[in-house]
Each structure stands twice: as C-alpha cells, then as structure tokens.
Amino acid sequence: MIKERLLTVANYIEEGSLIDIGTDHGYLLIYLLKNNKLKYGLGVEVSKGPLDNLKLNLNKYGFNNEIKSVLSDGLKNISQNEIDMYHAISICGMGGVLISNILFNSKEKLVNKKLYLQPNNHSDKLRRTLNELNFIIKDEKIILDNNIYYEVLVCEYSDNNIDQLTREEYYFGPINLINKSDLFIAKYEKHLQHLMKINQSLIDNNLNNDLLISEINQIKGVINYENK
C-alpha cells in the first residue's frame, strides 16, 4: 500500500506515460501500472542503491518491460528524444528547493510537459521557479500523511507568457487560496502557533523581528484567525 501523499499524486495522473524522478522503490510507478493508469514509465535515481531497490521491485511485480530505470541527476543524463516519449514528470518526497533545482537545471527539456510535484517543504520557492519556467499551477492539494502536512502541485507548461503570482500566492498557493480546505486551515493554524511562540520568546527578550511579525499577520489575515 503506497503512502497517502503518493496516492494523492497517483489519483491525478492520467497521461499513460510518466518519468518519475527520485523514484526510490518505484512505488508510484508500480501502483499506476497495477491500476491500469500507466502504459509505460521511466524511474530515475541519482544513486545506485535506490535504483537497485527499483529493479528488485520491478522483478518482483514483473514490470521490467513496462518500466525502464536510469541513473541520472534529474534529467541531465536523459536525452531529449527519450524524454519526448513521456507525457508527464513526477517528483515526490523532496524539498522544494531541490525540486526547483532539478527543474531549473533541465528547463529546456520540460517544454509541453505536465508536472506532478510533491514537495516536503519550501513550496513557496518551488512556485517561484514554476512561475519563472512558465508553468501554470492547475491544481493544488494539502494532505495529512502520518501527522505531517504535505502539498501536491499539478502544473502545465504554457507557450504564452503567464502572470506573475502575488506574494500571497507564492506563499500559500493560488489554488489553495481559492479552496481554503480544512487541511489548509489546519496546517496554517499549526504553523501560526509555532511562529507566535517564537515571536513571544523574542518579545520576552526585548527583541523584535519585523519579517516574522509580517508573516504572522499575513497568515492571520488569510485564515481569518482573529474571528475564530
């Protein structure tokens, strides 16, 4: 059984072919194949150990013909011709900065691709990179998996210039701001309590942090905290 965060990503995928970067054991690719949501895939890992884990699982489930494996730092060692064989790319379980670097370092290979991303942190930095690379965020979802909040972003490349996101949209996510799901509110209430404790500690020591206060006020405004 795959984790809730990967299941959420899997439920979005509909293209039939996928490059999964940082595939590790290949759980996402294997789940998609077992559930007839994928015809063929490519599992990518940067080190031999995780790639060997993928190969063991492919042997176990008999998917060696449907899923190829490659050792590569992101898309660096994969030719454009091979990338063009796949409709979409997924990157899950990494920090937002690392995902941003992977995308930015292969930006010329991403044209017309759909992206399924699951950052563990720094979603705001990832959104900035997506904006710079001309990807539109089509959907977002916050999930709770093993008492940890995660975000899933579904993005499409645009041939046209796209509008720059606002400060709030980078921070919270443009779709999240529209939907404001219960998990969205819960996540930022928890984060707000953490920031307020830090701020109180600063106050107790006669210190001040304007950026921290600004972040606190921004979250309060978005989740309507004062009226709870």
Side-chain angles (χ1 to χ4, degrees):
M1 183 66 181
I2 64 173
K3 294 181 178 179
E4 183 68 26
R5 58 187 178 84
L6 289 182
L7 183 60
T8 301
V9 174
N11 287 338
Y12 277 113
I13 294 174
E14 54 190 21
E15 281 72 22
S17 59
L18 178 73
I19 299 175
D20 187 31
I21 297 175
T23 192
D24 194 13
H25 290 75
Y27 292 134
L28 178 60
L29 291 171
I30 290 169
Y31 176 87
L32 291 168
L33 270 167
K34 289 174 70 176
N35 288 273
N36 300 313
K37 298 194 71 178
L38 199 67
K39 293 180 180 178
Y40 58 94
L42 178 65
V44 181
E45 265 300 342
V46 72
S47 56
K48 186 176 181 299
L51 196 70
D52 288 342
N53 292 333
L54 169 63
K55 291 177 180 178
L56 286 172
N57 271 345
L58 294 183
N59 286 328
K60 176 181 177 181
Y61 290 100
F63 287 144
N64 286 297
N65 292 330
E66 293 85 356
I67 299 176
K68 295 174 60 180
S69 59
V70 64
L71 197 65
S72 176
D73 182 1
L75 298 173
K76 286 182 181 179
N77 299 339
I78 307 172
S79 70
Q80 186 67 60
N81 285 340
E82 184 163 14
I83 291 171
D84 288 343
M85 295 170 57
Y86 300 87
H87 296 95
I89 297 170
S90 59
I91 312 178
C92 304
M94 301 183 195
V97 174
L98 179 55
I99 296 176
S100 294
N101 290 339
I102 290 171
L103 296 176
F104 195 82
N105 290 337
S106 297
K107 56 186 176 182
E108 70 283 352
K109 297 181 176 181
L110 301 174
V111 176
N112 296 326
K113 288 289 182 284
K114 195 163 186 177
L115 303 179
Y116 299 96
L117 310 173
Q118 184 268 292
N120 291 343
N121 51 43
H122 297 302
S123 299
D124 55 335
K125 293 180 174 60
L126 177 55
R127 291 188 187 97
R128 285 189 181 277
T129 298
L130 291 166
N131 211 203
E132 291 173 13
L133 297 180
N134 241 45
F135 277 90
I136 299 172
I137 299 173
K138 303 296 289 185
D139 202 3
E140 297 175 298
K141 185 171 285 187
I142 290 179
I143 55 174
L144 186 63
D145 188 351
N146 199 26
N147 292 319
I148 299 174
Y149 290 101
Y150 295 99
E151 294 193 48
V152 172
L153 287 76
V154 179
C155 315
E156 287 183 358
Y157 182 81
S158 174
D159 290 321
N160 303 313
N161 291 329
I162 62 175
D163 293 333
Q164 185 173 343
L165 298 179
T166 66
R167 178 169 171 259
E168 279 193 348
E169 287 173 331
Y170 282 130
Y171 189 94
F172 297 100
I175 309 300
N176 286 331
L177 281 171
I178 294 171
N179 294 335
K180 291 188 179 179
S181 68
D182 290 344
L183 284 175
F184 172 85
I185 299 297
K187 173 187 176 178
Y188 283 102
E189 282 184 343
K190 181 178 180 180
H191 187 51
L192 178 61
Q193 294 299 326
H194 173 68
L195 295 180
M196 290 171 68
K197 285 182 180 179
I198 294 174
N199 190 50
Q200 187 59 53
S201 178
L202 291 174
I203 292 171
D204 293 343
N205 288 279
N206 296 314
L207 298 172
N208 183 57
N209 186 320
D210 290 338
L211 288 176
L212 178 62
I213 294 171
S214 176
E215 185 176 2
I216 288 171
N217 289 334
Q218 178 179 243
I219 295 173
K220 283 183 175 181
V222 166
I223 66 173
N224 201 20
Y225 181 78
E226 302 296 353
N227 294 327
K228 290 185 178 294

